[in-house]
Amino acid sequence: MCGVVGIYNHPEASRIAYLGLYALQHRGQEAAGIVSSDGGKLRTHRRMGLVGDIFNQKVLDNLKGSAAIGHVRYSTSGASAAKNIQPLVFDYAHGAISVSHNGNLVNAKKLRAEFEAHGSIFQSTTDTEILVHLLASAKESTFEERVVEALKKVEGAYSLVFLTETKMLAARDPLGFRPLLLGDLNGSPIVVSESCALDLVEASFVREIEPGEIVVFSKEGTKSFKPFDQAKKKAFCIFEHVYFARPDSHIFGREVYETRKGFGRALAQEHPVEADMVVPIPDSGVPAALGYSEASGIPFQMGLIRNHYVGRTFIEPTDQIRHFGVKVKLNPAKELVKGKRLILVDDSIVRGTTSRKIVDMLREAGAKEIHFRVSSPPTTWPCFFGIDTPDRKQLIAAQQTLEEMRQFITADSLAFLSVENLFYFQKNHGEWFCDACFSGKFPVPLADFPDVNKVQDLKN
Ligand code: AMP
């Protein structure tokens, strides 16, 4: 998962991009970068680390120009390494170009092997670099046409922002896996992954960039077109609403906070249990716990307190750090939970290791009963479209029955939201969403992952 931002025709473009990235930091904490254009030259600053640590006044002063794009990264495709930090920047026959990508391509490996067989040299291990090679080898005469030519060859998820010396271009894949929004900052167009970034820079929300839409920003103004065959069904990522996006964001036409509260309300109706209090696992479980409390009439209590100076622990790429992280991050409010029956609410169970540690901590603090409620269905499949999930062997719900999982996390009861209720807000039950992490129904063929297709065929 990653976050992207782009601003065009603004006197402080790199500072706006910086603030935008600050608001999108939850989408990736591994690395960040900004590329600016002053009309003749691209300037770059990219580093491993957090936005607040990477940039300072001097760096931003050097990122001159009235257009800038930025990126926050957490590695999905490609190792966590400096060479993979985005925006990628390269020179080709038509000048300099830079690109920020959110999403994951599912035929990039196949295309890369074809290029390499013809002698191409790749500098990074990210799927995004394939776009660079496709652009460089494109035959069309204008920049926008070359982008379309390149994008027609890739499959999977992409919300992209390109920057050349003179133009900015935003593109969203035809199924619209990842969000991408268009805003307006006193007449300057701005493109962001989530609306919380528009709020921070005080830009107004114009609209979501549509699936399959390409928007070009140039001196001549803004031009939009849809060069792809329009798929009837879309594949908005439901996990953005479950976990990934910030709750104050408005994406895929809905406020994330309201959706998550709805998950909690539905969960309370589907899996009621007698208890003294509803306790969220902060921050990810908070809106759903509020919804559960509202629908059940059981009081909401912050039985777990979070240290806010620790990043999302799951995101740390090594197991050791992740495990240590749970205790660093959360601590029970002991007197509150002592002797009490708790309904513990989280948005998802992935490996189950965090959940187990939290249940342990609450028992040590004296909780009498712990009823674990999850505001999404069991995560049984990895994501190939940009969410960093482990393979099936490590997904507890893919390996164990509900009862085995309950025993593993040592809860008194365990229940998940059903796929039907995941789409409680939609009459057509998820027709517009990708729910492959819960259903195994992948919306596009996975050329780079033939083994998954095999497993899927066997299952059907
Ligand atoms: P575990 O079941 O121990 O793997 O951890 C589940 C926790 O990880 C839940 O609190 C989720 O909010 C969080 N989580 C779920 N998916 C992701 C993800 N892709 N990246 C980071 N955190 C996640």
Side-chain angles (χ1 to χ4, degrees), residues 169-235:
L169 183 149
R172 193 166 167 211
D173 67 72
L175 295 179
F177 283 96
R178 301 280 146 229
L180 194 61
L181 282 60
L182 179 62
D184 177 279
L185 182 57
N186 304 323
S188 307
I190 173 167
V191 173
V192 292
S193 289
E194 286 184 38
S195 65
C196 61
L198 296 178
D199 297 340
L200 176 59
V201 301
E202 297 185 341
S204 58
F205 168 70
V206 176
R207 62 184 179 81
E208 299 198 21
I209 291 176
E210 288 177 36
E213 183 179 0
I214 292 190
V215 189
V216 187
F217 308 91
S218 69
K219 278 205 197 77
E220 288 76 49
T222 302
K223 193 173 75 182
S224 154
F225 56 107
K226 286 190 177 172
F228 308 106
D229 295 337
Q230 285 303 306
K232 217 167 128 218
K233 288 189 182 180
K234 306 296 179 219

Side-chain angles (χ1 to χ4, degrees), residues 74 239 243-244 281 284 312 314-315 346-355 387-389:
Y74 108 51
F239 211 72
Y243 170 79
F244 221 86
I281 297 187
S284 54
R312 281 186 180 184
F314 185 97
I315 272 162
D346 204 0
D347 68 287
S348 57
I349 292 185
V350 182
R351 294 177 172 87
T353 45
T354 317
S355 319
I387 301 264
D388 181 22
T389 34

Side-chain angles (χ1 to χ4, degrees), residues 101-122:
H101 175 201
N102 174 206
N104 217 60
L105 305 174
V106 292
N107 66 340
K109 282 187 195 144
K110 192 169 160 251
L111 293 171
R112 180 175 176 144
E114 286 163 24
F115 270 99
E116 284 176 336
H118 289 94
S120 292
I121 295 167
F122 283 70

